Amino acid sequence: MKNNLFKFLGVCLLGGVVMFQSCTEDEGTGTGTGTGSGVTGPSLTLETADGFITSTGTAGPGDTIYVKVTAAKGDDDLRDLEILDNSNSRLAVDHILIDGEKPSANAVLLTGDDVAGFTKDVGIIVGDEFGSFDYTFKVTATDNESTSSETVTIEVENPTPLTATSSLGQTNNIVGGGWLAIPVSFASGAGLKEFGVKYNDVAVENNYVSLSPSYEAISALPYALDSVVSMDTSIYLKFPDADSTINGVIYVVDNNNDTVLIERTFNVSVSSD
Protein backbone atom coordinates (compact mmCIF):
# COMPACT_ATOMS: atom_id res chain seq x y z
CA MET A 1 0.00 0.00 0.00
CA LYS A 2 2.83 2.39 0.95
CA ASN A 3 4.71 1.48 -2.23
CA ASN A 4 1.74 2.48 -4.39
CA LEU A 5 1.41 5.77 -2.52
CA PHE A 6 5.10 6.60 -3.03
CA LYS A 7 4.83 5.76 -6.73
CA PHE A 8 1.82 8.07 -7.09
CA LEU A 9 3.62 10.96 -5.35
CA GLY A 10 6.70 10.42 -7.53
CA VAL A 11 4.66 10.68 -10.72
CA CYS A 12 2.98 13.90 -9.52
CA LEU A 13 6.34 15.47 -8.60
CA LEU A 14 7.85 14.60 -11.99
CA GLY A 15 4.84 16.07 -13.79
CA GLY A 16 5.12 19.30 -11.80
CA VAL A 17 8.79 19.68 -12.73
CA VAL A 18 8.01 19.20 -16.44
CA MET A 19 5.17 21.72 -16.35
CA PHE A 20 7.35 24.30 -14.52
CA GLN A 21 10.18 23.89 -17.03
CA SER A 22 7.76 24.21 -19.97
CA CYS A 23 6.22 27.42 -18.61
CA THR A 24 9.66 28.89 -17.93
CA GLU A 25 10.79 28.29 -21.51
CA ASP A 26 7.64 29.96 -22.92
CA GLU A 27 8.28 33.26 -21.18
CA GLY A 28 10.15 35.96 -23.16
CA THR A 29 10.66 39.68 -23.66
CA GLY A 30 11.60 41.81 -26.64
CA THR A 31 11.46 45.22 -28.33
CA GLY A 32 8.92 46.14 -30.98
CA THR A 33 6.12 43.68 -31.61
CA GLY A 34 6.64 39.96 -32.12
CA THR A 35 4.80 36.93 -33.44
CA GLY A 36 4.85 35.06 -30.14
CA SER A 37 6.51 34.40 -26.82
CA GLY A 38 10.28 34.59 -26.79
CA VAL A 39 10.54 36.69 -30.01
CA THR A 40 12.78 39.75 -29.89
CA GLY A 41 11.58 42.22 -32.47
CA PRO A 42 13.58 44.91 -34.27
CA SER A 43 14.34 48.35 -32.82
CA LEU A 44 14.05 51.76 -34.49
CA THR A 45 15.14 55.14 -33.11
CA LEU A 46 15.35 58.70 -34.45
CA GLU A 47 18.82 60.06 -33.78
CA THR A 48 19.55 63.57 -32.54
CA ALA A 49 21.75 65.60 -34.90
CA ASP A 50 21.95 69.15 -36.25
CA GLY A 51 19.31 69.71 -38.90
CA PHE A 52 17.38 66.53 -38.06
CA ILE A 53 13.98 66.23 -36.37
CA THR A 54 13.30 63.67 -33.64
CA SER A 55 9.73 64.46 -32.54
CA THR A 56 8.22 67.79 -33.65
CA GLY A 57 9.16 70.52 -36.10
CA THR A 58 7.91 73.25 -38.41
CA ALA A 59 8.15 73.70 -42.17
CA GLY A 60 6.78 75.77 -45.00
CA PRO A 61 4.82 74.37 -47.95
CA GLY A 62 7.10 72.24 -50.15
CA ASP A 63 10.00 72.30 -47.67
CA THR A 64 12.09 69.20 -46.95
CA ILE A 65 12.55 68.02 -43.36
CA TYR A 66 15.15 65.43 -42.38
CA VAL A 67 15.06 62.52 -39.93
CA LYS A 68 18.04 60.29 -39.07
CA VAL A 69 16.62 56.76 -38.75
CA THR A 70 18.59 54.02 -37.00
CA ALA A 71 17.31 50.43 -36.88
CA ALA A 72 18.67 47.11 -35.65
CA LYS A 73 17.45 43.55 -36.07
CA GLY A 74 16.07 41.38 -33.32
CA ASP A 75 15.83 37.63 -33.70
CA ASP A 76 15.07 37.98 -37.42
CA ASP A 77 16.70 40.05 -40.16
CA LEU A 78 15.14 43.36 -41.19
CA ARG A 79 12.93 43.17 -44.27
CA ASP A 80 11.89 46.74 -45.15
CA LEU A 81 11.50 50.37 -44.09
CA GLU A 82 8.18 52.15 -44.59
CA ILE A 83 7.30 55.83 -44.31
CA LEU A 84 3.64 56.39 -43.49
CA ASP A 85 1.67 59.62 -43.89
CA ASN A 86 -0.98 61.35 -41.81
CA SER A 87 -3.61 58.75 -42.74
CA ASN A 88 -1.23 55.83 -41.93
CA SER A 89 -0.86 55.07 -45.64
CA ARG A 90 2.47 54.74 -47.43
CA LEU A 91 3.79 58.16 -48.42
CA ALA A 92 4.25 58.70 -52.18
CA VAL A 93 7.87 58.18 -53.25
CA ASP A 94 7.95 61.66 -54.82
CA HIS A 95 7.90 63.01 -51.25
CA ILE A 96 10.76 60.80 -49.96
CA LEU A 97 14.55 60.98 -50.09
CA ILE A 98 16.73 58.17 -48.69
CA ASP A 99 20.33 59.34 -48.25
CA GLY A 100 19.62 62.01 -50.87
CA GLU A 101 18.02 59.70 -53.46
CA LYS A 102 14.37 59.08 -54.30
CA PRO A 103 13.52 55.42 -53.57
CA SER A 104 11.96 53.23 -56.24
CA ALA A 105 9.23 52.12 -53.85
CA ASN A 106 7.78 52.60 -50.39
CA ALA A 107 8.36 50.19 -48.58
CA VAL A 108 12.13 50.24 -49.12
CA LEU A 109 13.41 46.64 -49.29
CA LEU A 110 16.57 46.12 -47.25
CA THR A 111 19.55 44.17 -48.58
CA GLY A 112 23.18 43.44 -47.74
CA ASP A 113 24.38 44.72 -44.38
CA ASP A 114 21.16 46.70 -43.94
CA VAL A 115 19.24 43.55 -42.97
CA ALA A 116 21.19 43.51 -39.69
CA GLY A 117 20.90 47.23 -39.04
CA PHE A 118 21.34 50.66 -40.62
CA THR A 119 21.37 54.42 -40.17
CA LYS A 120 19.75 56.39 -42.98
CA ASP A 121 19.07 60.08 -43.53
CA VAL A 122 15.43 60.24 -44.59
CA GLY A 123 14.08 63.42 -46.18
CA ILE A 124 10.35 64.18 -46.30
CA ILE A 125 9.13 66.76 -48.83
CA VAL A 126 6.04 68.17 -47.16
CA GLY A 127 2.92 69.06 -49.15
CA ASP A 128 1.35 72.43 -49.94
CA GLU A 129 -1.42 72.22 -47.34
CA PHE A 130 -1.15 73.97 -43.99
CA GLY A 131 -1.67 72.26 -40.64
CA SER A 132 -0.24 69.46 -38.49
CA PHE A 133 0.96 66.27 -40.18
CA ASP A 134 2.36 63.02 -38.76
CA TYR A 135 5.04 60.95 -40.50
CA THR A 136 5.79 57.45 -39.18
CA PHE A 137 8.99 55.47 -39.84
CA LYS A 138 8.51 51.71 -39.49
CA VAL A 139 10.79 48.69 -39.91
CA THR A 140 9.46 45.16 -40.33
CA ALA A 141 11.41 41.93 -39.81
CA THR A 142 11.48 38.97 -42.18
CA ASP A 143 8.95 37.14 -40.01
CA ASN A 144 6.49 39.67 -41.58
CA GLU A 145 5.03 40.66 -38.21
CA SER A 146 7.76 41.95 -35.87
CA THR A 147 7.91 45.74 -36.23
CA SER A 148 9.21 48.90 -34.59
CA SER A 149 8.28 52.50 -35.39
CA GLU A 150 8.62 56.16 -34.43
CA THR A 151 6.55 59.20 -35.45
CA VAL A 152 7.36 62.88 -35.98
CA THR A 153 4.80 65.69 -36.14
CA ILE A 154 5.38 68.55 -38.57
CA GLU A 155 3.47 71.84 -38.44
CA VAL A 156 3.27 73.25 -41.98
CA GLU A 157 2.97 77.01 -41.60
CA ASN A 158 1.80 79.72 -43.97
CA PRO A 159 4.91 81.77 -44.81
CA THR A 160 2.72 84.75 -45.83
CA PRO A 161 -0.31 85.20 -43.54
CA LEU A 162 -3.41 86.76 -45.05
CA THR A 163 -3.31 90.55 -45.15
CA ALA A 164 -5.76 93.16 -46.50
CA THR A 165 -5.04 96.87 -46.45
CA SER A 166 -6.37 100.10 -47.98
CA SER A 167 -4.96 103.63 -48.14
CA LEU A 168 -8.48 105.11 -47.94
CA GLY A 169 -9.12 107.23 -44.85
CA GLN A 170 -11.15 105.84 -41.97
CA THR A 171 -14.12 108.25 -42.38
CA ASN A 172 -15.40 109.46 -45.76
CA ASN A 173 -18.18 111.80 -46.95
CA ILE A 174 -20.04 110.47 -49.97
CA VAL A 175 -22.77 111.84 -52.23
CA GLY A 176 -25.77 109.52 -52.25
CA GLY A 177 -26.10 107.43 -55.41
CA GLY A 178 -22.44 107.96 -56.28
CA TRP A 179 -19.43 105.65 -56.61
CA LEU A 180 -16.14 105.64 -54.69
CA ALA A 181 -12.87 103.88 -55.58
CA ILE A 182 -11.41 101.91 -52.66
CA PRO A 183 -7.70 101.07 -53.24
CA VAL A 184 -6.97 97.65 -51.74
CA SER A 185 -4.05 95.28 -51.40
CA PHE A 186 -4.62 91.58 -50.59
CA ALA A 187 -1.97 88.89 -50.06
CA SER A 188 -1.75 85.31 -48.75
CA GLY A 189 0.78 82.53 -49.21
CA ALA A 190 -2.15 80.11 -49.15
CA GLY A 191 -3.73 81.83 -52.16
CA LEU A 192 -6.69 84.21 -52.18
CA LYS A 193 -10.12 82.60 -52.31
CA GLU A 194 -12.74 85.40 -52.48
CA PHE A 195 -13.82 88.82 -51.31
CA GLY A 196 -17.17 90.33 -50.43
CA VAL A 197 -18.72 93.60 -49.27
CA LYS A 198 -21.15 94.45 -46.47
CA TYR A 199 -22.94 97.66 -45.54
CA ASN A 200 -24.01 97.74 -41.89
CA ASP A 201 -23.53 93.95 -41.62
CA VAL A 202 -25.73 93.25 -44.67
CA ALA A 203 -24.24 91.68 -47.80
CA VAL A 204 -24.16 94.11 -50.73
CA GLU A 205 -25.67 93.10 -54.08
CA ASN A 206 -23.21 92.64 -56.92
CA ASN A 207 -24.56 95.66 -58.88
CA TYR A 208 -23.16 97.89 -56.11
CA VAL A 209 -19.61 96.61 -56.67
CA SER A 210 -17.28 96.93 -59.64
CA LEU A 211 -13.62 96.34 -60.46
CA SER A 212 -13.78 98.75 -63.37
CA PRO A 213 -13.77 102.57 -63.46
CA SER A 214 -16.67 102.25 -65.92
CA TYR A 215 -18.67 100.75 -63.01
CA GLU A 216 -19.59 97.48 -64.69
CA ALA A 217 -21.09 95.25 -62.03
CA ILE A 218 -19.07 92.21 -61.04
CA SER A 219 -20.56 88.81 -61.80
CA ALA A 220 -21.34 87.75 -58.24
CA LEU A 221 -20.53 88.22 -54.57
CA PRO A 222 -18.53 86.80 -52.92
CA TYR A 223 -16.18 87.30 -55.85
CA ALA A 224 -13.76 84.44 -56.62
CA LEU A 225 -10.05 85.36 -56.69
CA ASP A 226 -8.78 82.11 -58.26
CA SER A 227 -6.04 81.42 -55.69
CA VAL A 228 -3.75 84.29 -56.72
CA VAL A 229 -1.29 85.00 -53.91
CA SER A 230 -1.56 88.79 -54.12
CA MET A 231 -3.86 91.42 -55.59
CA ASP A 232 -3.50 95.21 -55.85
CA THR A 233 -6.54 96.92 -57.33
CA SER A 234 -9.40 99.32 -56.70
CA ILE A 235 -12.84 98.14 -55.70
CA TYR A 236 -15.55 100.58 -56.76
CA LEU A 237 -18.50 100.83 -54.41
CA LYS A 238 -21.88 102.44 -55.09
CA PHE A 239 -23.83 104.03 -52.25
CA PRO A 240 -27.60 104.34 -51.76
CA ASP A 241 -29.29 107.58 -52.72
CA ALA A 242 -30.33 108.46 -49.19
CA ASP A 243 -28.91 110.21 -46.17
CA SER A 244 -27.24 107.59 -43.97
CA THR A 245 -24.14 106.51 -42.12
CA ILE A 246 -22.74 103.27 -43.45
CA ASN A 247 -20.22 101.05 -41.74
CA GLY A 248 -18.67 99.46 -44.80
CA VAL A 249 -16.66 96.23 -44.73
CA ILE A 250 -14.62 94.62 -47.47
CA TYR A 251 -13.70 91.12 -46.34
CA VAL A 252 -11.24 88.76 -47.99
CA VAL A 253 -10.84 85.00 -47.45
CA ASP A 254 -7.85 82.85 -48.39
CA ASN A 255 -7.59 79.14 -49.18
CA ASN A 256 -6.74 78.47 -45.55
CA ASN A 257 -10.20 79.91 -44.73
CA ASP A 258 -8.66 82.80 -42.80
CA THR A 259 -10.56 86.09 -43.08
CA VAL A 260 -9.38 89.72 -42.80
CA LEU A 261 -11.56 92.84 -42.84
CA ILE A 262 -11.10 96.34 -44.19
CA GLU A 263 -13.54 98.55 -42.29
CA ARG A 264 -14.46 102.16 -43.15
CA THR A 265 -17.21 104.63 -42.22
CA PHE A 266 -19.13 106.46 -44.95
CA ASN A 267 -21.34 109.47 -44.28
CA VAL A 268 -23.79 109.51 -47.19
CA SER A 269 -25.79 112.64 -48.01
CA VAL A 270 -28.15 113.38 -50.87
CA SER A 271 -27.01 116.39 -52.91
CA SER A 272 -29.41 119.34 -53.12
CA ASP A 273 -29.72 121.84 -55.96
Side-chain angles (χ1 to χ4, degrees), residues 26 43-44 51 74 97 102 104 111 124 141 148 162 166 170 172 176 187 189 192 204 209-210 225 234 250 252 257:
D26 280 346
S43 64
L44 182 145
L97 296 172
K102 183 173 74 174
S104 59
T111 59
I124 302 296
S148 184
L162 175 63
S166 176
Q170 193 64 42
N172 303 271
L192 299 169
V204 173
V209 182
S210 177
L225 296 177
S234 288
I250 298 173
V252 61
N257 288 323

Side-chain angles (χ1 to χ4, degrees), residues 53-119:
I53 292 171
T54 58
S55 58
T56 61
T58 59
D63 285 353
T64 302
I65 60 100
Y66 290 93
V67 177
K68 188 177 289 291
V69 178
T70 293
K73 63 173 287 185
D75 289 341
D76 297 295
D77 285 347
L78 302 176
R79 185 189 69 187
D80 60 45
L81 169 67
E82 294 177 275
I83 297 96
L84 308 177
D85 64 14
N86 216 41
S87 62
N88 209 35
S89 300
R90 288 176 176 174
L91 186 65
V93 294
D94 288 341
H95 289 267
I96 302 172
L97 296 172
I98 305 291
D99 291 333
E101 301 291 335
K102 183 173 74 174
S104 59
N106 182 16
V108 178
L109 294 178
L110 301 171
T111 59
D113 293 340
D114 286 349
V115 301
F118 62 82
T119 295

Side-chain angles (χ1 to χ4, degrees), residues 242-263:
D243 292 339
S244 59
T245 297
I246 293 177
N247 295 315
V249 172
I250 298 173
Y251 65 88
V252 61
V253 183
D254 68 5
N255 289 330
N256 209 30
N257 288 323
D258 292 329
T259 302
V260 173
L261 310 179
I262 297 174
E263 301 179 84

Side-chain angles (χ1 to χ4, degrees), residues 103-268:
S104 59
N106 182 16
V108 178
L109 294 178
L110 301 171
T111 59
D113 293 340
D114 286 349
V115 301
F118 62 82
T119 295
K120 294 183 181 295
D121 295 343
V122 181
I124 302 296
I125 304 168
V126 303
D128 294 331
E129 296 182 4
F130 304 106
S132 183
F133 298 89
D134 290 339
Y135 297 97
T136 298
F137 306 86
K138 175 182 175 183
V139 287
T140 301
T142 52
D143 67 0
N144 296 329
E145 292 189 25
S146 298
T147 65
S148 184
S149 64
E150 292 287 346
T151 299
V152 298
T153 300
I154 305 300
E155 189 72 28
V156 182
E157 300 175 334
N158 186 348
T160 308
L162 175 63
T163 58
T165 60
S166 176
S167 60
L168 185 71
Q170 193 64 42
T171 302
N172 303 271
N173 297 320
I174 304 298
V175 175
W179 289 81
L180 179 66
I182 316 293
V184 296
S185 179
F186 305 148
S188 173
L192 299 169
K193 181 179 180 181
E194 62 189 19
F195 81 84
V197 180
K198 291 183 178 181
Y199 288 167
N200 296 332
D201 292 327
V202 177
V204 173
E205 295 180 4
N206 65 300
N207 59 333
Y208 274 72
V209 182
S210 177
L211 292 174
S212 167
S214 61
Y215 309 137
E216 297 173 1
I218 62 175
S219 56
L221 283 174
Y223 184 79
L225 296 177
D226 300 327
S227 296
V228 297
V229 295
S230 63
M231 179 179 182
D232 293 290
T233 190
S234 288
I235 297 175
Y236 298 84
L237 301 181
K238 184 180 180 180
F239 292 88
D241 192 11
D243 292 339
S244 59
T245 297
I246 293 177
N247 295 315
V249 172
I250 298 173
Y251 65 88
V252 61
V253 183
D254 68 5
N255 289 330
N256 209 30
N257 288 323
D258 292 329
T259 302
V260 173
L261 310 179
I262 297 174
E263 301 179 84
R264 297 293 186 270
T265 300
F266 302 98
N267 296 316
V268 183

Side-chain angles (χ1 to χ4, degrees), residues 6-21:
F6 288 143
K7 289 181 180 179
F8 175 74
L9 291 175
V11 170
C12 290
L13 180 61
L14 179 61
V17 170
V18 172
M19 290 180 64
F20 175 78
Q21 183 178 6

